[in-house]
Amino acid sequence: MLRMPSRTRLAATIAAAALAATVAAAPAGAAVSRPDIECQQAGLNTLRSAGLLDDVARGGLPIETALALGVTVRPGADISGVKNPLKLSVILRDHRAGDQSLFIYPWCN
């Protein structure tokens, strides 16, 4: 068995303890937010129920159609650079963004 010299072992123990203390002391706001998978699933179900999922997967979703489904632009969001129609990947990513999304979806709480 290979044994670390005691000085190296002590340094490794101190480093591990410092790392553990740093992680334990991190503020709650520093935690990585989880993507809103439930909202994404609800969006997919809405597209499926409206008979639009295949069309959106192939050619995107016109913003006008999204608005007709009850989607609204989040106050303060700048969608001037968003391509119309919206690609499915963009729609799914926006659903996962939670309160940071560009749009507000009525099926997501």
Side-chain angles (χ1 to χ4, degrees):
M1 174 195 291
L2 181 63
R3 295 180 56 107
M4 288 193 294
S6 61
R7 188 177 287 179
T8 304
R9 191 174 337 158
L10 178 60
T13 302
I14 291 170
L19 178 61
T22 302
V23 170
V32 175
S33 63
R34 294 180 182 254
D36 195 345
I37 302 300
E38 290 177 17
C39 180
Q40 177 181 298
Q41 288 300 322
L44 286 169
N45 289 337
T46 300
L47 289 172
R48 196 173 288 118
S49 295
L52 297 172
L53 185 56
D54 290 339
D55 292 338
V56 171
R58 281 193 293 274
L61 178 69
I63 292 176
E64 303 78 32
T65 304
L67 296 175
L69 292 171
V71 174
T72 57
V73 177
R74 186 172 297 282
D78 178 12
I79 64 165
S80 62
V82 176
K83 292 184 180 180
N84 192 11
L86 301 165
K87 289 184 177 182
L88 181 58
S89 61
V90 171
I91 296 167
L92 296 177
R93 189 174 5 189
D94 197 55
H95 273 76
R96 291 189 307 264
D99 291 340
Q100 303 302 313
S101 66
L102 295 173
F103 298 96
I104 297 174
Y105 305 97
W107 44 84
C108 300
N109 294 324

